[in-house]
């Protein structure tokens, strides 16, 4: 991916200096084992890891004692520059697409942090992976996740990383289009299995939106190199519910899926990339995912 020299977004907050890991109300730190249990349960049962971390620790999550103020990433930080470049291109693509449809695009901010940070959705932990918080319209990313993506999940490559960022920005687009509010209104009104099925459609639509971004990004910049699309497709496969469940428990429980299988995630990303139209990403109307 030929990203060097491209525009970088100003909407990046760097909180990586200083700060500290969140602690529970009782003063006890959250251990890695607790985080792993929360993540596995979240993957398998569709439970918000932020909620689980509080429950498993026996108290409510308190914010970090001291958190560094948000600043721009320092010059020479290659990883941060890459993130800012991809974010800038999502701004260009989604700004043009929504404007063409008669809507305005409110640019999200992307927060770089280390270990833990505050968000309007609770305290974010690096072990949770990247996430989008609709309450503050920010994407949260610990850059260490990219190393995890490469070494532990078997999905290396810069375009695999770009896909991850574009997926989270896809959730922001859903928020702007009103999808997020409609889904949130269903919580508590439907059963767990049905809510999981709805969550799968939400996530697959974000994958499709990532594909739409990649389609228009490539048309505008022609910056993809040989193997880049394969990197994104591989990443989609490696973070599918079926792949993660086999890795964590040795078996697959489809009723507990919250993100979709690897094959579904690949297919919806490819659908968005091939057509480049938002209308092709209506996972909620699809009879077959």
């Amino acid at each position: 991916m030929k990203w060097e020299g491209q525009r970088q977004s100003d909407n990046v907050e760097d909180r990586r200096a200083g700060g500290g890991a969140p602690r529970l109300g009782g003063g006890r730190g959250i251990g890695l084992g607790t985080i792993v249990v929360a993540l596995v349960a979240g993957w398998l049962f569709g439970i918000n890891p932020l909620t689980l971390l509080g429950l498993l620790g026996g108290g409510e999550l308190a914010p970090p004692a001291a958190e560094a103020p948000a600043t721009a990433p320092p010059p020479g930080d290659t990883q941060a520059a890459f993130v800012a470049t991809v974010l800038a291109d999502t701004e260009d693509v989604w700004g043009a697409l929504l404007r063409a449809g008669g809507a305005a695009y409110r640019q999200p901010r992307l927060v770089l942090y280390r270990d833990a940070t505050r968000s309007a959705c609770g305290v974010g932990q690096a072990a949770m992976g990247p996430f989008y918080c609709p309450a503050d319209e920010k994407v949260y990313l610990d850059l260490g996740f990219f190393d995890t993506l490469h070494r532990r999940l078997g999905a290396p490559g810069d375009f695999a990383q770009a896909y991850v960022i574009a997926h989270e920005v896809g959730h922001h687009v859903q928020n702007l289009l009103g999808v997020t509010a409609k889904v949130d209104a269903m919580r508590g009104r439907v059963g767990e299995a049905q809510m999981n099925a709805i969550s799968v459609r939400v996530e697959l639509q974000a994958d499709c939106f990532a594909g739409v971004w990649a389609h228009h990004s490539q048309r505008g910049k022609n910056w993809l190199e040989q193997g880049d699309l394969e990197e994104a497709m591989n990443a989609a496969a490696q973070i599918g519910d079926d792949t993660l469940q086999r890795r964590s428990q040795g078996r697959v429980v489809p009723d507990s899926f919250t993100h979709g299988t690897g094959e579904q995630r690949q297919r919806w990303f490819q659908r968005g990339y091939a057509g480049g139209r938002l209308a092709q990403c209506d996972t909620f109307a699809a009879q077959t995912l």
Side-chain angles (χ1 to χ4, degrees):
M1 185 175 178
K2 299 174 288 190
W3 62 272
E4 294 88 348
Q6 302 286 345
R7 182 180 78 84
Q8 296 181 20
S9 174
D10 294 326
N11 291 314
V12 177
E13 300 178 15
D14 193 347
R15 301 182 186 174
R16 290 173 294 172
R23 294 185 175 273
L24 295 169
R28 293 171 291 155
I30 301 174
L32 179 60
T34 301
I35 294 173
V36 170
V37 171
L39 288 173
V40 171
W43 282 334
L44 301 187
F45 306 115
I47 302 172
N48 185 346
L50 290 172
T51 301
L52 281 171
L53 287 170
L55 294 175
L56 292 172
E60 294 185 355
L61 284 167
E67 187 167 273
T71 60
D77 188 327
T78 304
Q79 275 196 312
F82 171 77
V83 170
T85 301
V86 174
L87 183 64
D89 196 68
T90 65
E91 293 167 352
D92 295 341
V93 168
W94 287 113
L97 287 176
L98 267 63
R99 188 163 53 248
Y105 182 64
R106 226 168 26 248
Q107 297 178 354
R109 295 188 70 80
L110 190 149
V111 177
L112 297 175
Y113 72 98
R114 183 177 289 116
D115 298 330
T117 194
R118 295 181 181 91
S119 82
C121 297
V123 175
Q125 295 277 353
M128 292 164 47
F131 66 96
Y132 171 70
C133 176
D136 57 20
E137 298 189 352
K138 293 181 180 181
V139 172
Y140 291 83
L141 172 64
D142 185 312
L143 290 174
F145 176 76
F146 290 155
D147 187 62
T148 299
L149 191 68
H150 179 180
R151 300 182 184 280
R152 295 183 59 188
L153 299 181
D158 52 8
F159 200 64
Q161 299 172 6
Y163 155 71
V164 169
I165 297 168
H167 173 90
E168 298 305 329
V169 173
H171 284 309
H172 177 64
V173 175
Q174 290 175 317
N175 190 30
L176 297 182
L177 296 178
V179 174
T180 305
K182 290 179 181 178
V183 170
D184 284 345
M186 297 179 187
R187 299 187 189 280
R189 297 167 53 191
V190 300
E192 181 179 330
Q194 188 176 353
M195 198 66 230
N196 286 348
I198 293 170
S199 176
V200 167
R201 292 178 185 269
V202 170
E203 296 297 332
L204 293 180
Q205 186 178 64
D207 282 330
C208 188
F209 284 173
V212 170
W213 161 75
H215 171 96
H216 291 280
S217 177
Q218 174 64 358
R219 287 186 63 183
K221 287 188 167 64
N222 192 33
W223 60 351
L224 298 188
E225 299 173 297
Q226 184 175 2
D228 278 345
L229 280 178
E230 288 78 9
E231 290 175 0
M233 295 288 279
N234 177 52
Q238 297 305 321
I239 57 178
D241 283 323
D242 54 339
T243 307
L244 292 173
Q245 287 186 359
R246 287 192 188 95
R247 185 177 287 135
S248 64
Q249 65 178 18
R251 62 191 178 94
V252 174
V253 185
D255 284 348
S256 68
F257 287 176
T258 57
H259 287 65
T261 68
E263 187 274 334
Q264 288 172 328
R265 301 196 70 168
Q266 288 179 317
R267 179 147 37 87
W268 281 94
F269 173 84
Q270 182 60 36
R271 184 184 179 96
Y273 181 77
R277 295 189 296 113
L278 271 70
Q280 295 175 303
C281 295
D282 190 355
T283 55
F284 297 93
Q287 295 296 314
T288 302
L289 294 176

